[in-house]
Amino acid sequence: MMRQFIFIVCFFIFAAAGHAQFTSTSKKAVSRLQSAQAAYRAKKYKDAITQAQEALKADAAFVEPYLLMAAVYAETGNIERAVDMYKQGFLVNADFFPNAFFDCAMYEMRLGRYAEARDHFNQLIASAKGSEKLKQQAAMRLPWCDFAAYAIAHPVPYTLISLGDSVNSRFPDYWPSLSADKNTFIITRRLPVDSYTPYGSSNFQEDFYISSLKPDKTWTSARSAGFPLNTPDNEGAPTITADGKKLYFTGCNRNDGKGMCDIYLSVKAEAGWSKPRNIGAPVNTAHSEKQPSASADGNMLFFSSNRPGTYGGLDLWVTRKDAMGKWTEPKNLGPVINTTGDDCAPFFHPDGKTLYFSSEGHIGMGAFDLFVTRMDSSGKWEKPENLGYPINTTEHEEGIFIDCEGKRAYIAVTNQKEKDVDIFSFDLYDKIRPVAVSYMKGRVYDAVTMEPLQAMFELTDLKEVKTVFASVADTKGEFLVTIPAERDYALSVEMRGYLFFSENFTMSGKATADEPFFKDVPLHKIQPGQKIILKNIFFATDSFNLKAESKAELQKIVGLLNDNPFISAEISGHTDNAGSDEYNLRLSENRARSVVEYLVSAGIVSTRLIAKGYGELQPIAPNETPEGRAQNRRTELKIINR
């Protein structure tokens, strides 16, 4: 039973036991009320209403029957009638049980009647007999009434578009999650267990269904994920990693569970999805861990839990993988995000800093609202912002998903008239958008044998020299790396025994993401004569001073040489054809020497390194275009012996 009923129900039980005075002296009215109380406790709600009405016929000034009928209507979902009963009871005797003002006001908030709710909260606060604890809660709810009234008067842009019959069904569909390339769109569908038992609270199970976006921007027909992902147990609240290869989800009351709800993992291989496994301690405990959201590279996992250390009911937590790929002890996201209420349903965007979640503890429309917060460069969370009305309503909003581009959201919406739940999309207004994210997708393979390689790839923020994405190619050598806009990045692809691959992405000043990048990456084994272009070594124009943004690439070279202590390398500088031959030769030599000097300062023995300048003598592209000249201005590393 909901918390709002506690005081009323306790009162009725107390009165029924003969320990309280009724407000009526009519024996017939009291007898009918006692019959109504007995019917209520037996959950015979129709009889309870009938007997309460008979009590009022015997004594129209009897307040208790109104409060009992309010409790019955509230418990059976007829909130509007419950409020009517409260109000009629208040007209008869407003001072009899002032705690009922709180319940009435909460239901009025559910109905969007915020001015009336404010009045009833204030009546409770002003009463002499009301519960002091409830008065404090009522005072805390007054700003909610003000916020909601303002939000309704100032709606945010919001146009829902149904995903149509290809995704939605005649059964409830919810909890969407989408891979970066939109090839895997996974939802939860609530299905009847059999066709014989009436479809209700017990005759259902949750399974996963999968769709994908077609070239014409329509969705394929959602199909069951099948065994072993779907089982006779419930599977729900999925999150798929950006590459579409790993699926985390919630499983409750399972034989291998550690608590009521646990987080499970399934991995996609050539044969399909693997048998889900419980990810175990330290993430899962004897309590509930659920509603996971994985970072784009799969190295962070956000989830909700009521484990010890919460600020209220459910809190948001995060766990990170260590160097061995094991989940570390989860950390609470702290009081900026978590409240004394329930905070749940996290979604961490691939931009690596924007978190959306649902909360009943932050000021909102009255139930669970959607919020957004962002992590700053120091790792601290900003104050959460309500997404606004009509994204948030008097109903329960949770389970939002935002695409990589940061423009479109997906959410399940309940059709109150038809009592159905379907998935819709809508465009986010600018203020609540995350940073736009593009991605690079391809395959890593041996340049000679063409065999796929399970190479490591890492995206580094050049300004902060900070890894923002790190993962490993799958058994087919396939990979996908997300690339947030507004920053410049170095991408390196590495595997022991091979020269690393270097790529640069200049995204500074771009508020939107480019079209995806598709690139296959051949890796060359470390042997004399093999060379790589160091695309993340930077110099100012006409200068041989290394820019700070070069540090990430320089450290990769240090790592390569330390891991292979028996090789020597030539660092060569190259220019375009602007300027004289003599000038270009001298500039290229000085630039190569600057790189060598850095490597020596980092501990590499100088006898293993040669600095060589070639000027404009070895172009790799025509010098007739700006793009060609940019390619020719480069630094290379070549293995000279092993």
Side-chain angles (χ1 to χ4, degrees):
M1 187 176 296
M2 294 176 63
R3 183 177 59 187
Q4 291 95 317
F5 306 140
I6 291 176
F7 295 98
I8 294 175
V9 174
C10 286
F11 168 77
F12 284 131
I13 294 173
F14 186 74
H19 297 296
Q21 294 294 321
F22 292 112
T23 59
S24 175
T25 58
S26 167
K27 292 183 178 180
K28 181 177 180 180
V30 170
S31 176
R32 294 297 189 187
L33 175 64
Q34 290 173 329
S35 296
Q37 290 172 328
Y40 174 80
R41 290 194 298 272
K43 298 188 181 300
K44 296 179 179 180
Y45 297 126
K46 186 176 180 180
D47 291 344
I49 293 293
T50 299
Q51 293 299 320
Q53 290 172 338
E54 290 296 320
L56 289 173
K57 288 179 182 179
D59 184 354
F62 195 8
V63 67
E64 288 94 324
Y66 288 111
L67 299 182
L68 185 143
M69 286 192 289
V72 171
Y73 284 126
E75 190 156 334
T76 55
N78 194 339
I79 304 302
E80 192 158 359
R81 286 290 289 152
V83 169
D84 289 342
M85 292 299 103
Y86 278 123
K87 287 183 174 180
Q88 291 186 51
F90 298 155
L91 289 174
V92 171
N93 188 340
D95 295 328
F96 170 67
F97 192 60
N99 289 342
F101 284 127
F102 184 86
D103 288 355
C104 183
M106 291 296 290
Y107 291 130
E108 286 168 330
M109 289 185 70
R110 286 277 302 276
L111 294 171
R113 301 174 184 175
Y114 297 105
E116 296 175 40
R118 167 176 268 281
D119 288 343
H120 284 129
F121 282 135
N122 279 324
Q123 283 183 267
L124 170 60
I125 294 169
S127 70
K129 296 168 58 179
S131 159
E132 291 302 318
K133 183 177 180 180
L134 276 186
K135 288 182 181 182
Q136 292 176 7
Q137 292 186 35
M140 290 174 59
R141 288 286 173 173
L142 292 177
W144 294 54
C145 296
D146 295 338
F147 169 84
Y150 180 87
I152 291 173
H154 300 83
V156 299
Y158 182 61
T159 302
L160 284 173
I161 301 173
S162 173
L163 267 61
D165 294 341
S166 294
V167 173
N168 294 314
S169 69
R170 62 190 180 94
F171 300 109
D173 299 289
Y174 44 93
W175 281 109
S177 187
L178 183 64
S179 61
D181 61 7
K182 298 182 174 64
N183 280 341
T184 305
F185 185 57
I186 188 162
I187 64 172
T188 303
R189 181 169 293 172
R190 179 171 162 163
L191 300 163
V193 174
D194 58 60
S195 58
Y196 307 105
T197 309
Y199 182 62
S201 60
S202 59
N203 181 37
F204 76 89
Q205 71 173 51
E206 294 175 314
D207 278 348
F208 293 137
Y209 277 68
I210 297 175
S211 178
S212 61
L213 192 65
K214 295 187 288 187
D216 64 359
K217 305 301 181 183
T218 61
W219 297 96
T220 62
S221 295
R223 65 192 186 282
S224 172
F227 183 82
L229 198 53
N230 288 334
T231 69
D233 292 320
N234 289 322
E235 293 82 26
T239 177
I240 194 165
T241 50
D243 60 5
K245 303 294 186 182
K246 293 181 179 179
L247 181 72
Y248 294 90
F249 66 91
T250 305
C252 298
N253 301 314
R254 295 194 169 203
N255 291 333
D256 62 346
K258 291 182 173 293
M260 180 177 178
C261 294
D262 284 6
I263 297 173
Y264 289 77
L265 168 66
S266 178
V267 179
K268 190 175 184 181
E270 289 189 57
W273 291 100
S274 68
K275 180 181 179 181
R277 65 172 180 84
N278 188 308
I279 66 172
V283 177
N284 291 325
T285 68
H287 302 272
S288 279
E289 283 75 33
K290 55 187 179 179
Q291 301 167 337
S293 178
S295 61
D297 60 4
N299 289 326
M300 286 195 295
L301 192 67
F302 294 80
F303 61 94
S304 60
S305 175
N306 62 351
R307 64 204 291 144
T310 64
Y311 290 85
L314 290 169
D315 273 9
L316 298 186
W317 299 74
V318 64
T319 178
R320 291 174 169 83
K321 284 185 177 179
D322 61 19
M324 301 300 293
K326 303 294 185 182
W327 292 115
T328 58
E329 188 67 32
K331 293 184 178 180
N332 189 292
L333 294 194
V336 172
I337 290 178
N338 292 314
T339 67
T340 56
D342 282 341
D343 304 282
C344 57
F347 169 69
F348 191 55
H349 191 263
D351 70 355
K353 64 180 183 180
T354 306
L355 178 70
Y356 299 83
F357 66 99
S358 183
S359 174
E360 67 167 358
H362 291 284
I363 293 176
M365 301 297 293
F368 280 86
D369 277 12
L370 293 167
F371 293 81
V372 61
T373 180
R374 295 172 177 86
M375 183 167 53
D376 65 22
S377 58
S378 68
K380 294 181 179 179
W381 295 102
E382 298 175 355
K383 181 181 178 181
E385 179 179 358
N386 190 295
L387 298 195
Y389 175 86
I391 297 175
N392 290 318
T393 67
T394 58
E395 299 300 322
H396 187 139
E397 278 81 35
E398 69 174 356
I400 194 170
F401 184 93
I402 316 296
D403 66 11
C404 272
E405 293 86 344
K407 296 179 180 179
R408 180 155 295 181
Y410 298 87
I411 192 171
V413 176
T414 301
N415 183 322
Q416 292 297 332
K417 185 176 181 180
E418 298 179 5
K419 299 299 180 184
D420 190 21
V421 182
D422 283 337
I423 296 174
F424 291 76
S425 68
F426 66 94
D427 289 340
L428 294 172
Y429 60 96
D430 289 346
K431 189 178 180 182
I432 62 171
R433 286 183 178 181
V435 174
V437 174
S438 185
Y439 64 88
M440 176 178 170
K441 184 178 182 180
R443 177 175 172 268
V444 188
Y445 58 92
D446 184 293
V448 176
T449 67
M450 306 298 289
E451 289 296 314
L453 299 174
Q454 286 187 274
M456 296 177 58
F457 49 97
E458 184 177 85
L459 190 72
T460 303
D461 184 316
L462 288 172
K463 184 176 181 180
E464 297 184 6
V465 195
K466 176 183 177 182
T467 299
V468 296
F469 190 105
S471 191
V472 180
D474 65 15
T475 55
K476 295 189 290 185
E478 294 177 351
F479 70 92
L480 185 150
V481 56
T482 54
I483 308 169
E486 299 182 352
R487 310 286 284 186
D488 295 336
Y489 302 96
L491 175 69
S492 66
V493 183
E494 307 171 58
M495 187 164 183
R496 183 172 293 276
Y498 289 81
L499 289 174
F500 65 83
F501 168 84
S502 170
E503 187 60 84
N504 172 261
F505 295 96
T506 302
M507 309 289 282
S508 291
K510 295 183 179 181
T512 60
D514 288 331
E515 289 296 315
F517 302 91
F518 297 94
K519 189 177 184 68
D520 287 344
V521 178
L523 293 185
H524 296 269
K525 286 189 174 180
I526 298 173
Q527 55 188 11
Q530 291 295 343
K531 60 184 178 181
I532 53 173
I533 299 174
L534 303 170
K535 294 186 178 180
N536 293 289
I537 299 294
F538 306 102
F539 302 92
T541 303
D542 293 331
S543 170
F544 53 86
N545 292 323
L546 285 163
K547 286 187 172 182
E549 292 86 346
S550 303
K551 184 176 180 180
E553 190 95 304
L554 291 166
Q555 288 301 115
K556 291 294 180 186
I557 303 171
V558 172
L560 173 70
L561 295 171
N562 282 333
D563 290 342
N564 299 275
F566 302 110
I567 66 172
S568 298
E570 175 190 278
I571 305 297
S572 60
H574 302 264
T575 68
D576 58 22
N577 65 350
S580 67
D581 293 349
E582 181 181 356
Y583 175 83
N584 287 336
L585 187 62
R586 184 170 62 253
L587 178 62
S588 63
E589 287 177 348
N590 286 334
R591 286 180 169 178
R593 191 173 294 113
S594 292
V595 174
V596 167
E597 288 173 355
Y598 179 94
L599 299 177
V600 171
S601 71
I604 304 301
V605 178
S606 61
T607 55
R608 298 176 61 195
L609 300 168
I610 295 175
K612 181 74 173 178
Y614 290 95
E616 60 187 85
L617 297 178
Q618 296 183 359
I620 58 174
N623 276 306
E624 282 71 33
T625 65
E627 293 78 14
R629 289 192 292 273
Q631 291 183 55
N632 290 329
R633 297 189 298 270
R634 68 194 189 279
T635 305
E636 293 183 348
L637 179 150
K638 182 172 71 173
I639 305 300
I640 54 178
N641 63 56
R642 182 171 183 175

